[in-house]
Amino acid sequence: MMLSQFYLKTLMIKPSLFFAIMLFSCVTVSAQDVIKIQSCSNSLIQHQVDSLKSFYNKDGFVLLKEASVAMESEYELPVVVPLTQGSWYQFVFVGDFTSKLYEVRMYDWEEKMVVYQKKQWGDMDGNIISYSYIPKFSEYHMMKPVQVNKQKKNNLCGYVMLFKKTKQDDTASVTGR
């Protein structure tokens, strides 16, 4: 009880401190309202996405989530998804053709990096990062794709997809575990 009286007394003596704290909390709330995810449209990326959907569908995967997103160069796009222990997932990121570097990092619930992939412009399918993953625990995971573009800083189109294997094939191998 004495501690709360101390804080109350401090705030009464220094109203400017109280006002500053309130102002900071209001600014923080309004800044969070400004951040909005916007979709994008790119016919070349859409053609690749359609081909990838068809390919993974024929391989026994079902599309769980997908999104086209306008990205900013050198800024990660956090994608949080719940994954089930023992299920086979395929994560795909398709970046803008004009970017020079593409990376995806994936973290488990304890913020341990479990997957890292990097591609550069000029690599075979350089703007596509795709990896399989079978989680050891049922928990949320976060994928963070990023692309670097020296000419365009804003409005880079990116596309993310998450597939889940429905048909089990005993001969298949999984990378990125």
Side-chain angles (χ1 to χ4, degrees), residues 29 45 66 74 91 94 107 166:
V29 169
I45 289 178
E66 69 177 317
E74 300 180 41
F91 178 79
V94 182
Y107 300 88
T166 56

Side-chain angles (χ1 to χ4, degrees), residues 41-51 94-95 97-98 127:
S41 180
N42 182 310
S43 60
L44 295 173
I45 289 178
Q46 191 59 51
H47 178 68
Q48 286 181 305
V49 166
D50 292 340
S51 296
V94 182
F97 281 100
T98 62
N127 70 318

Side-chain angles (χ1 to χ4, degrees), residues 38-93:
Q38 295 180 351
S39 64
C40 61
S41 180
N42 182 310
S43 60
L44 295 173
I45 289 178
Q46 191 59 51
H47 178 68
Q48 286 181 305
V49 166
D50 292 340
S51 296
L52 289 164
K53 285 181 187 178
S54 177
F55 173 78
Y56 286 115
N57 189 11
K58 289 178 185 173
D59 204 23
F61 286 89
V62 63
L63 181 64
L64 296 179
K65 297 192 183 291
E66 69 177 317
S68 66
V69 181
M71 298 175 67
E72 192 170 334
S73 180
E74 300 180 41
Y75 284 90
E76 294 177 323
L77 172 71
V79 179
V80 179
V81 291
L83 301 181
T84 305
Q85 175 184 0
S87 294
W88 183 352
Y89 294 94
Q90 187 72 29
F91 178 79
V92 181
F93 169 68

